Amino acid sequence: MSVSKEDILKALSTVQEPDLKKDLVYLKMIQDIEINDKLVKFKVVLTTPACPLKEKIEKDCTEAIHTLVDENLEVQIEMVANVSTNRSDKLTLPGVKNIIAVASGKGGVGKSTVSSNLAVALAMKGAKVGLLDADIYGPSIPIMFGVMDRQPEMRDVDGKQLMVPIEKFGIKLLSIGFLIKADQAVVWRGPMVSSALRQFVNDTDWGELDYLILDLPPGTGDIHLTMLQVVPLTGVVMVTTPQAVALADAYKASAMFSMTPLKVPIIGIIENMSYFTPAELPENKYFIFGNGGGKTMSDELEVPFLGEVPIYMSIREGSDKGNPAVIENDTSVQKAFFSIAENVAQQVAILNSLKPEPANL
Ligand SMILES: Nc1ncnc2c1ncn2[C@@H]1O[C@H](COP(=O)(O)OP(=O)(O)O)[C@@H](O)[C@H]1O
Ligand SMILES: [Mg+2]
């Protein structure tokens, strides 16, 4: 008896997307089914190329077909992604699917380090990524990407002059640091900041992006409120160290984002500088800034814990040299940031699926 597309779809409708808790057929994730005698081919369209459950979903599909249709079929699955979005207003940043702010209560906790490595990790997983450095107190993205001397050019698009982001490691970058000198930055006031940010958002040729990462200034001041009115955020990732003072400020910052009328969803917490492991004593962990604060904070706020980043020399060195450390293959640093990028992408896909518009298609 020959196998039909309906048989395959019926089998795949028993496979759940573990995060979205609906079946793959209902979610319209199955495409281009081809059947050739004993060979079945199709595509599974994920909501992010950084999906941590890719292997599980692939395995579940094959098993369902073998169990419910025919155990002798050869199943070839192509895992592709169409990043989901829940943006309904497309007046600002029309080609950008998700805008993720990286925030902290305190400076120096590693917000820019996390922003850069998260952006690079998502791009390495196959996503189209932009990074906007809006930290007027200490714009550090130009140094971390080794593009201090570059100046964004202007381009005529449909009769409008638009700024062109600088490209490095496949990421589109813009920084307040390209426009002002670091020592001028701190005297900036709300209206100047918002007009610069408006230009970055409205007068820039960002093109099509899956994720735009926004490196925010630390703290909870007026400047934040102004910024949050300019940029329609999907959600915010909080970075903290395990240290009590950093945590206290991180709580304050999360309270600000959760406040009406902002109500920006907190995607989760990343703990940076969690511990130090010397190269010569790889089994030892020294909890220099305390232990477990980020995890406790995520439990108390009832938001996901997205991962921890230990203190590594290579992270500091990479930042200073203009090479985000995540690009070094098969290192512990890469593993830590890949896992964080997957968790962020996963939580964004879940947030998107909770909005009334259908995710994905
Ligand atoms: N996990 C880490 N391991 C080693 N150095 C780090 C780590 N995270 C951040 N740093 C270093 O700490 C300093 C502050 O980090 P940065 O990302 O600039 O903080 P912020 O943006 O929050 O002010 C930088 O010199 C950076 O290289
Ligand atoms: Mg910074």
Side-chain angles (χ1 to χ4, degrees), residues 104 106-116 135 138 140 144 215-216 218 239 271-275 309-320 337:
S104 68
K106 232 168 78 73
V109 298
K111 201 159 38 60
S112 303
T113 305
V114 167
S115 304
S116 333
D135 189 348
S140 43
M144 291 188 175
D215 186 2
L216 285 178
V239 180
E271 187 186 88
N272 187 30
M273 309 194 195
S274 298
Y275 56 84
V309 185
I311 300 169
Y312 291 114
M313 285 264 277
S314 61
I315 292 184
R316 207 267 308 140
E317 285 166 354
S319 292
D320 290 351
F337 281 115

Side-chain angles (χ1 to χ4, degrees), residues 236-269:
V236 57
V237 167
M238 298 293 311
V239 180
T240 183
T241 62
Q243 203 176 359
V245 278
L247 281 165
D249 288 348
Y251 277 105
K252 252 190 258 168
S254 344
M256 174 187 75
F257 287 110
S258 311
M259 203 167 72
T260 20
L262 296 176
K263 275 222 178 317
V264 181
I266 298 187
I267 297 168
I269 314 281

Side-chain angles (χ1 to χ4, degrees), residues 40-109:
V40 178
K41 284 192 199 176
F42 57 91
K43 285 184 187 152
V44 175
V45 187
L46 302 166
T47 50
T48 171
C51 178
L53 302 162
K54 215 183 244 185
E55 273 91 43
K56 174 171 169 45
I57 295 173
E58 191 172 354
K59 190 167 149 271
D60 289 354
C61 288
T62 308
E63 271 177 19
I65 292 172
H66 283 160
T67 317
L68 300 169
V69 187
D70 180 348
E71 60 179 356
N72 298 314
L73 289 173
E74 185 190 341
V75 182
Q76 279 181 14
I77 307 174
E78 191 186 343
M79 304 298 277
V80 294
N82 178 15
V83 173
S84 61
T85 177
N86 68 15
R87 295 195 54 209
S88 37
D89 71 292
K90 289 285 182 139
L91 290 172
T92 43
L93 298 163
V96 179
K97 289 183 169 176
N98 297 288
I99 305 163
I100 303 170
V102 178
S104 68
K106 232 168 78 73
V109 298

